[in-house]
Amino acid sequence: MKVANPIDRTILARINKRGVDWVFSPADFIDLGTRHAVDKALSRMAADGSIRRVARGLYDVPKQHPIVGTTAPSIEEVAKAVAGKGGIRVQPTGAYAANLLGLSDQVPAKVVFLTDGRSKRIRLGKMDIVFRQTSPRIMATAGAVNGVVGQAFGCLGKAHVNGDTVKKLGRRLSADDRKRLLKDLASAPAWIADIMRQLAAQP
């Protein structure tokens, strides 16, 4: 594709440098021109098919699979883009948190992230990604492994977390990850705090 506009070329160069999995917003290019110029450039590129509009203010490079055709962007990349666009934090919850840690094979039809930003919903193909505003106290562990672990265990429930679960998760966590679990024990329910101690004590 021939790109005549200089800002379009500069934006495309950054997109190509970041790789095909990147989900981006106008905020990622604000150093390259005015917001109006960036918005216009992204609109032009979306119109000619070089990028795809994922949701309002979010874009990616469309990827083709030989069997299923055009694939959706990853949930994680969409969440990162939303967080970066709004300067906010996000925390995966429920079945998705358990899935990230390898504790569940379930792929939920609705993925929920807690956030200290505004609540919003993004439709991604057949999936809904929901960002639900919550308190600063709950968001204190956002971005840390203990936050994901706590949310995953909360989803699974005490009756479904056993020694095998602890061993399986322990193999996925690094030594530094296990040490971090000790930092926020006071904010976790007692039974989850006990499991975090077990994980932290693993060699």
Side-chain angles (χ1 to χ4, degrees):
M1 179 190 66
K2 184 178 180 180
V3 180
N5 196 299
I7 191 172
D8 294 31
R9 290 197 297 270
T10 308
I11 288 174
L12 277 175
R14 180 168 295 179
I15 293 169
N16 292 333
K17 185 176 181 180
R18 287 292 299 267
V20 295
D21 293 327
W22 188 33
V23 177
F24 46 88
S25 74
D28 292 300
F29 309 101
I30 204 65
D31 59 312
L32 303 180
T34 65
R35 177 59 188 265
H36 178 73
V38 170
D39 284 343
K40 287 292 187 182
L42 293 176
S43 294
R44 285 192 295 269
M45 288 185 279
D48 68 27
S50 55
I51 65 174
R52 169 178 58 179
R53 186 177 183 271
V54 175
R56 183 178 180 181
L58 297 179
Y59 304 85
D60 76 343
V61 177
K63 298 174 288 296
Q64 296 294 322
H65 187 278
I67 297 176
V68 300
T70 304
T71 60
S74 78
I75 297 168
E76 287 180 82
E77 285 297 323
V78 171
K80 287 179 184 176
V82 169
K85 178 184 176 186
I88 59 175
R89 295 175 296 172
V90 297
Q91 170 69 63
T93 70
Y96 183 60
N99 185 276
L100 287 175
L101 295 173
L103 301 179
S104 170
D105 295 328
Q106 180 183 353
V107 181
K110 181 172 75 172
V111 173
V112 179
F113 288 85
L114 300 179
T115 180
D116 52 3
R118 293 182 178 179
S119 296
K120 65 165 55 180
R121 181 185 299 263
I122 293 175
R123 186 71 174 173
L124 197 64
K126 296 181 179 180
M127 179 182 293
D128 281 328
I129 304 179
V130 177
F131 296 87
R132 186 175 297 158
Q133 188 179 53
T134 190
S135 67
R137 182 184 66 82
I138 293 177
M139 290 303 295
T141 57
V145 66
N146 44 342
V148 182
V149 169
Q151 291 293 332
F153 285 162
C155 169
L156 295 173
K158 186 176 181 179
H160 296 92
V161 177
N162 52 37
D164 288 340
T165 310
V166 174
K167 289 179 181 178
K168 185 176 183 180
L169 181 55
R171 289 193 293 267
R172 292 179 66 94
L173 300 179
S174 68
D176 286 342
D177 286 338
R178 293 195 293 273
K179 288 178 182 177
R180 290 190 188 101
L181 294 177
L182 296 174
K183 291 186 177 181
D184 294 287
L185 293 180
S187 63
W191 71 271
I192 294 180
D194 288 341
I195 295 171
M196 287 182 173
R197 289 190 190 92
Q198 295 177 43
L199 286 165
Q202 288 189 2

